[in-house]
Amino acid sequence: QPRFNMTFENLKILNLNNCAIKSFQTVQWVAEAMPNLESLCVANSELSDIHKYHVSGFSSLRRLDCSNCGFTQWESQVDKFQSLPVLESLSLDDNSIPTVPRNAGEQSSFPVLTALQISGTSISSWMDLEGVNSFASLKSLRLKNTPLTAGLGQGEVRSFCLARFPGLEYLNGSSISQTERVEAERRYITLVSHMLQRVNIDDSNKSKEVKNEAVILQENPRYQFLREKYKNMVMFSKSDLDDSGESLASSIYNVTIKSLAPSSCTLAPVVRRIPGTLNVERLKALCSRIFGLDYDLISLRFRTDTKDAIPVEMDEDDKTLNYYGLCDGAEILMSEVDLSAQSLDLKKKQEEQERRMIEQDRSMTAMQELRSRN
């Protein structure tokens, strides 16, 4: 029986985050009582029993947040939402979902889904994400804090996503430019080509060699298409590879270095050709020589073109430009560190962290009290 004795037909937005919901039955009651909901948040609930229910109602629901709701698989849990007719945005952050099935968006499933958030999931390989390409309308993806991304730089993750998921227009909240996509696809082609070349270096085991080539091609389903698309692109031979298997010529970029520091912001931007193997520490030294700013006061960011709204921080001195996903035509922005502001910012972060810990303790205490009462 419905939990409510009346309906709330004018209610459009409902936030039930952190409300100790323990069954999807409660969400189904919400659908019955609030038939015109357009946005529903039920983050931090226990909805793992969703497989027992047929999801009905929610004919107007456009945005659904099911972050940290105990989902462990797409099949039989997430796909329960596949028939929602106008669902545009779905957040599945912090659920232990290991894969997005290759057919997740096929056969009219999630017909108008444009935004998907899967940060904090258990995705561990690129093939686990191949289902992203099955959503005909998907334009935006959020992917962070997964086993897959743990060993990669943010630039590497972005570059791979752009090459593997051609339908995306936004990744982690940042728009994707055409220049950036072309560079990512070209870099992807070069990387996979080198992987195939390295397999063929050792002729001692022919059967293993063929199997490895097959596996590489299987794990990179867009390679054949992109190879044809960029068939006029120079493919470097084995002699062009260094000891690490990287092509030296393929990672030299034309970049514009621009100073935003007060002491040198009036100076004209400088164009340089720099290798992708250059690390941030050496790039800072180069900027120091060009603009005369003390090395210890230099902060670097970059953007793939001048239309990008959010430059990427280059905050790890030992990481290379390839790690950050720099591309040809990128603009590097040099700023001067405000030491006093930096100190104040650090203090604020520490205070914020302490505040969150206190709130978390209070929330855990409240949850334990609720459980003990039940």
Side-chain angles (χ1 to χ4, degrees):
Q1 295 297 320
R3 184 67 172 259
F4 306 99
N5 295 321
M6 60 183 297
T7 59
F8 304 85
E9 295 184 354
N10 294 323
L11 193 62
K12 306 290 185 182
I13 301 174
L14 182 63
N15 189 331
L16 295 176
N17 291 346
N18 303 304
C19 285
I21 296 174
K22 297 186 179 302
S23 171
F24 189 78
Q25 177 68 77
T26 302
V27 179
Q28 198 58 61
W29 283 331
V30 168
E32 296 170 11
M34 305 165 195
N36 297 315
L37 268 185
E38 295 181 2
S39 178
L40 175 63
C41 298
V42 287
N44 304 317
S45 301
E46 176 49 61
L47 305 182
S48 60
D49 65 345
I50 186 174
H51 64 278
K52 300 177 181 178
Y53 300 92
H54 172 69
V55 178
S56 59
F58 292 129
S59 60
S60 300
L61 192 66
R62 298 182 182 278
R63 292 172 294 277
L64 177 61
D65 185 354
C66 290
S67 301
N68 190 28
C69 283
F71 296 157
T72 57
Q73 55 184 349
W74 190 281
E75 301 90 340
S76 79
Q77 289 182 323
V78 178
D79 64 4
K80 288 288 187 175
F81 302 120
Q82 65 183 356
S83 61
L84 298 185
V86 296
L87 184 65
E88 298 174 353
S89 176
L90 176 61
S91 177
L92 300 170
D93 292 344
D94 301 319
N95 286 288
S96 299
I97 300 170
T99 183
V100 179
R102 300 190 70 165
N103 62 348
E106 295 178 355
Q107 299 179 351
S108 301
S109 298
F110 300 96
V112 296
L113 188 69
T114 59
L116 178 64
Q117 297 185 196
I118 48 176
S119 295
T121 56
S122 298
I123 302 291
S124 60
S125 75
W126 288 109
M127 290 305 293
D128 291 337
L129 283 173
E130 217 26 59
V132 167
N133 285 324
S134 67
F135 299 100
S137 303
L138 193 68
K139 303 297 181 186
S140 176
L141 178 69
R142 284 190 177 272
L143 177 68
K144 295 181 178 180
N145 303 323
T146 67
L148 170 63
T149 59
L152 301 173
Q154 56 182 328
E156 288 180 292
V157 173
R158 187 172 179 85
S159 183
F160 275 116
C161 284
L162 268 56
R164 298 183 73 107
F165 311 130
L168 294 184
E169 296 178 2
Y170 294 87
L171 179 65
N172 293 331
S174 179
S175 62
I176 299 169
S177 69
Q178 182 59 28
T179 301
E180 187 181 16
R181 185 179 297 282
V182 169
E183 284 294 330
E185 289 178 345
R186 289 170 63 91
R187 188 180 297 117
Y188 176 77
I189 283 293
T190 302
L191 175 64
V192 178
S193 295
H194 291 164
M195 290 169 63
L196 292 171
Q197 287 175 342
R198 286 196 293 269
V199 166
N200 290 321
I201 290 174
D202 184 6
D203 296 328
S204 61
N205 190 335
K206 291 290 183 181
S207 61
K208 181 179 180 181
E209 173 185 309
V210 173
K211 180 182 178 181
N212 284 344
E213 282 192 19
V215 169
I216 291 172
L217 292 174
Q218 182 182 11
E219 293 179 348
N220 295 277
R222 292 203 75 220
Y223 173 71
Q224 301 287 13
F225 169 80
L226 291 176
R227 187 178 66 173
E228 179 63 23
K229 180 179 178 180
Y230 298 105
K231 59 184 177 182
N232 295 325
M233 182 178 125
V234 176
M235 303 304 294
F236 300 97
S237 66
K238 183 172 64 176
S239 61
D240 293 320
L241 302 181
D242 62 16
D243 292 338
S244 65
E246 295 296 328
S247 169
L248 299 176
S250 66
S251 60
I252 295 179
Y253 309 119
N254 290 304
V255 301
T256 300
I257 306 175
K258 181 178 181 180
S259 174
L260 303 180
S263 60
S264 55
C265 61
T266 58
L267 297 178
V270 175
V271 177
R272 287 285 189 273
R273 283 175 59 81
I274 54 179
T277 53
L278 189 75
N279 63 26
V280 174
E281 181 180 20
R282 292 170 62 190
L283 180 58
K284 284 184 178 180
L286 175 63
C287 292
S288 178
R289 291 196 299 272
I290 294 173
F291 296 108
L293 182 62
D294 191 303
Y295 172 89
D296 292 327
L297 297 179
I298 292 178
S299 172
L300 296 178
R301 296 173 296 161
F302 83 92
R303 52 189 177 189
T304 55
D305 60 45
T306 56
K307 295 181 181 179
D308 279 1
I310 307 175
V312 176
E313 290 279 354
M314 305 171 72
D315 51 3
E316 296 187 56
D317 287 353
D318 61 329
K319 301 300 184 183
T320 66
L321 305 186
N322 283 337
Y323 172 88
Y324 282 104
L326 207 75
C327 65
D328 205 50
E331 184 178 49
I332 296 174
L333 305 175
M334 184 195 78
S335 301
E336 183 175 355
V337 175
D338 185 334
L339 296 179
S340 59
Q342 190 179 56
S343 177
L344 182 61
D345 184 54
L346 178 60
K347 182 179 179 181
K348 287 182 178 180
K349 286 182 178 179
Q350 291 174 340
E351 291 175 349
E352 177 66 14
Q353 185 177 9
E354 292 176 0
R355 185 186 66 79
R356 288 180 179 178
M357 290 178 66
I358 293 173
E359 288 183 354
Q360 185 177 11
D361 289 341
R362 289 175 178 172
S363 177
M364 290 179 64
T365 301
M367 290 286 287
Q368 290 173 353
E369 290 178 354
L370 281 172
R371 289 171 181 169
S372 62
R373 290 174 185 172
N374 293 337

